[in-house]
Amino acid sequence: EADIYQTPRYLVIGTGKKITLECSQTMGHDKMYWYQQDPGMELHLIHYSYGVNSTEKGDLSSESTVSRIRTEHFPLTLESARPSHTSQYLCASSDWTINEQFFGPGTRLTVL
Amino acid sequence: AQKITQTQPGMFVQEKEAVTLDCTYDTSDQSYGLFWYKQPSSGEMIFLIYQGSYDEQNATEGRYSLNFQKARKSANLVISASQLGDSAMYFCAMSNTGGFKTIFGAGTRLFVKA
């Protein structure tokens, strides 16, 4: 069954730690996205990719970085977590046709 | 620049009644798609319905229909026979066909009353 996965689902971590949020999809989609969303608020695009070895920054300035070495995998890394990074992070993918985005379940990050 | 506007931060509806969630958009593209997503309190984003800019008929998916008025640049979501499980955030979104990015509105929180 084609799907999109994110791990961990919940993460509580101390300030200054390096973290990587994992995202994988089995749909063969070229395009993948990372969004940051505070509870009940709008989505902010922080990174996207339209294929292997391509990554772009989104509309919201972010201190995170991403990589796209394999089509199915699009991890997001924070080199030094801060309390301001506390949020939900949603990963999504889409194809080149109608751009319907398939979302993962999200990672809720809390930085103490 | 593309823009999505959802002017209703919160809406209340009685169970079993219909409700319309408003969405207006702005784009200079001729070919684009409009989407609605549902986000329950659990946080996942669930795709509900899609309307292409060249589709002549309004999209329908079960209890969901999209009232597409191209000249007014509006794409309102109509939920018929509301259920308690419909209580959630609803996001309108738009993407130009074949483009890289999808833009989302600020969302409308729907409360269904028993």
Side-chain angles (χ1 to χ4, degrees), chain B residues 69-90:
Chain B
Q69 297 188 42
K70 195 169 182 177
R72 293 186 175 185
K73 292 189 174 178
S74 74
N76 299 338
L77 178 70
V78 180
I79 305 174
S80 63
S82 296
Q83 302 172 356
L84 295 178
D86 293 335
S87 293
M89 281 288 286
Y90 288 82

